[in-house]
Amino acid sequence: MGIRRIHPISLTIIIGTLFARMATFMTIPFLAIYLTSVKGASPGFAGAIIGVSSIVGLFGGFIGGYLSDLYGQEKVMKYSIFIWIFVFVGFALAESVVTFFILNALNGLCRSFFEPSSRALLSKVTKPKNKLLVFNLRYAAINIGAAVGPLIGLKIGSSSSTSAFFVTAVIYAFYFIVLLAMFSINQIDDSLNTKTSERVTMAKALKVLSADRVFFFAVIGLIMGVCGYSQFSSTIPQYLASSPIITNGVEVFSYLIVFNAITVLIVQYPVTRIGKRYSALTSIMIGTLTTSIGLLGFAFFTSIPFLFLSVFVFTVGEVMMFTMTDLFIDQISPHDLKGLYFGAMGFTAIGGSFGPLIGGLMLEYFGYTNHFTLFSVLALVSSLGFPVLLYVKGLMKSTNRKVGYSL
C-alpha cells in the first residue's frame, strides 16, 4: 500500500493540511461577499483586501523559503502557524475594513512562510520514487477540505458573520500541537537527500535564482495562470452574489466550490496518469490553457448547468497546473535550495494579487451584467501563460536542462 511508504511527518502534514484547509475554506472564500454585502466595501477594495495576501506572499515566500533552508523547515513551520492562530482570532473580532486588509496581509505572510517550508520538508523526507504520490496526496487533502469547508461555511453563515474564524483558529491550534509532538518524536533523516556542508547565504541564493532562466520564465508563465485561477475566489463570488441575472448567487457559489473540489478528487488520478506519460511542464502548460477556457465559459453562459460545466473545465485545468507544479519545482531545484525554490514560487502570487484587484475594478467599471467582456479579458490574460511556458519547454531542450529524476 502506498500510504505505508510515507514518512510519519509527511502523513501528519497531509492530514493537517486537510483539516486546516477545511477550516480556511469555511471562511476565506466568503470574505469578499461579507465585505461588500455587510461592510459596504466597494468591489475594487474588496478585491484589494483579498489580493493583499498574495502581494505579501511575493516576498514572504522567498524569505520564508530561504530561512527554512538556513534554520530548518520545522522551526519556520512552528513559528508561522503559531502566529497564524492569532490572525484568525483577529478576523473573528475585526470590525473595520482596514483591519481586514491588515489581517489578510498577515494571513498571506503566515501562509507564505508555512507553505514552502512544509513542501520543502515533504521533499526532504520523501524518496524520489514516492514524491509524486506525496505531492498528490497533499493536493487531494487540500481539495477534500475545500469540498467540506464551504458547505459548513454556508450553513453557519460565513457570508454574513466572522464568528466562524474562531473555529478556524481552534483547528489551526490543534494542528500546531500535533506538529510539535511529531517533530519531537520523529527525527528528520537527512540521508534521504544530498547534504552540503556549505552554509547557504542570501547572496548565493539570489545568484542561483537570477541565473536560472528556466525557473524565471516558468514563474512568469505561472503568474498568468494563477491570475486566471484567482478569479474563482474573488471576482466570480462577487459576480454571482450581486448579478441580477443569477438568483441565489451565494448559494450557487457555495455549491460551485464544492463541485470544484469534488471534481479535483475525481479527475486528479487520471490527469496525473496522463501527465506522467509526458512531463510535469507539459501538464502545467495545458492546464493554463484549459483554465482559461473554463473562465471563458462565464463570459458566454449564465444558466446554472453551463456554469457548472465551465467550472468542470476550469477545474481540469487547475488540476493539470497544480498537481505537477510542486513536482516540477522539486525536479529543477538544487538539493540544498529546496526551500528557496519553493519559497520563490511565491512570486507567482503576483497573479493571485493583481487578479482579484483587476477583476474587482472591472466589475466596478463594467457592472455585473457585462459578464462577456469581464470574463473574456480575464480568460485572455490567463491564456498568456501558455506561450510563455512553451518557451520554457524550448529553453530546457536548447540548454539540455535535465530534471533531478524521472517518473
Side-chain angles (χ1 to χ4, degrees):
M1 179 65 179
I3 298 296
R4 296 177 181 175
R5 306 198 304 263
I6 299 177
H7 193 282
I9 288 180
S10 294
L11 198 58
T12 300
I13 292 173
I14 292 167
I15 296 174
T17 296
L18 189 157
F19 286 99
R21 289 306 177 96
M22 180 189 70
T24 301
F25 274 91
M26 288 190 325
T27 51
I28 294 297
F30 298 94
L31 186 57
I33 299 173
Y34 174 80
L35 290 169
T36 53
S37 62
V38 178
K39 292 299 180 181
S42 67
F45 192 38
I49 292 173
I50 300 301
V52 70
S53 64
S54 297
I55 294 175
V56 172
L58 297 179
F59 306 99
F62 176 79
I63 297 171
Y66 169 73
L67 291 176
S68 74
D69 287 327
L70 194 61
Y71 298 111
Q73 286 82 25
E74 306 98 307
K75 288 184 179 179
V76 174
M77 288 174 66
K78 287 187 291 187
Y79 286 121
S80 58
I81 198 171
F82 180 74
I83 297 172
W84 219 345
I85 297 166
F86 294 98
V87 171
F88 287 123
V89 172
F91 272 118
L93 300 174
E95 291 293 337
S96 70
V97 290
V98 174
T99 304
F100 281 104
F101 184 87
I102 295 171
L103 286 169
N104 210 30
L106 292 173
N107 174 39
L109 184 65
C110 292
R111 184 177 64 250
S112 67
F113 271 54
F114 184 85
E115 292 293 331
S117 300
S118 64
R119 284 181 287 169
L121 187 59
L122 287 176
S123 173
K124 185 177 183 180
V125 301
T126 306
K127 296 178 180 179
K129 65 180 181 179
N130 298 330
K131 287 186 177 181
L132 183 62
L133 170 66
V134 168
F135 286 135
N136 275 278
L137 283 175
R138 176 184 175 273
Y139 188 65
I142 290 173
N143 286 283
I144 293 173
V148 177
L151 290 177
I152 300 175
L154 179 65
K155 295 299 181 183
I156 62 180
S158 292
S159 62
S160 58
S161 170
T162 57
S163 59
F165 279 103
F166 281 123
V167 180
T168 304
V170 170
I171 292 175
Y172 271 74
F174 185 72
Y175 187 15
F176 171 71
I177 294 170
V178 173
L179 278 178
L180 287 181
M182 292 303 297
F183 286 148
S184 64
I185 294 172
N186 296 276
Q187 297 296 318
I188 305 299
D189 184 6
D190 288 314
S191 65
L192 290 172
N193 285 302
T194 303
K195 294 180 65 177
T196 177
S197 59
E198 180 183 0
R199 192 174 182 82
V200 179
T201 64
M202 180 63 80
K204 177 190 174 184
L206 289 171
K207 183 178 180 181
V208 171
L209 280 180
S210 62
D212 195 337
R213 295 175 63 206
V214 166
F215 180 80
F216 176 78
F217 284 104
V219 167
I220 292 177
L222 280 165
I223 285 173
M224 303 300 180
V226 171
C227 182
Y229 171 73
S230 69
Q231 306 308 320
F232 192 69
S233 60
S234 58
T235 307
I236 289 176
Q238 292 185 72
Y239 161 71
L240 292 175
S242 302
S243 174
I245 306 172
I246 310 294
T247 57
N248 299 320
V250 175
E251 186 175 354
V252 170
F253 174 63
S254 300
Y255 289 125
L256 285 176
I257 296 177
V258 175
F259 179 71
N260 167 261
I262 293 174
T263 302
V264 168
L265 298 175
I266 293 173
V267 306
Q268 184 174 346
Y269 180 75
V271 166
T272 302
R273 296 295 297 178
I274 294 171
K276 286 176 67 175
R277 294 184 179 182
Y278 302 98
S279 70
L281 181 57
T282 300
S283 178
I284 296 169
M285 287 168 50
I286 299 174
T288 58
L289 201 59
T290 309
T291 300
S292 303
I293 296 171
L295 270 180
L296 197 60
F298 281 84
F300 286 98
F301 307 124
T302 56
S303 66
I304 303 303
F306 281 105
L307 291 182
F308 274 86
L309 176 62
S310 299
V311 169
F312 176 81
V313 176
F314 179 93
T315 305
V316 171
E318 172 194 345
V319 171
M320 297 185 77
M321 272 200 295
F322 296 125
T323 56
M324 292 296 185
T325 297
D326 284 350
L327 186 65
F328 174 67
I329 297 304
D330 185 64
Q331 288 174 338
I332 66 171
S333 59
H335 288 291
D336 58 339
L337 294 175
K338 295 289 185 187
L340 176 72
Y341 269 71
F342 279 115
M345 277 301 293
F347 286 114
T348 61
I350 291 174
S353 58
F354 286 104
L357 179 59
I358 293 171
L361 292 175
M362 289 181 67
L363 275 173
E364 285 188 35
Y365 184 77
F366 293 111
Y368 293 94
T369 56
N370 195 355
H371 52 89
F372 178 80
T373 303
L374 172 66
F375 288 105
S376 294
V377 173
L378 294 175
L380 176 62
V381 172
S382 179
S383 67
L384 293 176
F386 181 82
V388 176
L389 293 169
L390 187 62
Y391 172 74
V392 172
K393 191 175 183 67
L395 190 63
M396 290 183 70
K397 289 183 179 179
S398 63
T399 58
N400 293 318
R401 180 71 171 266
K402 303 294 184 183
V403 298
Y405 54 87
S406 58
L407 296 176

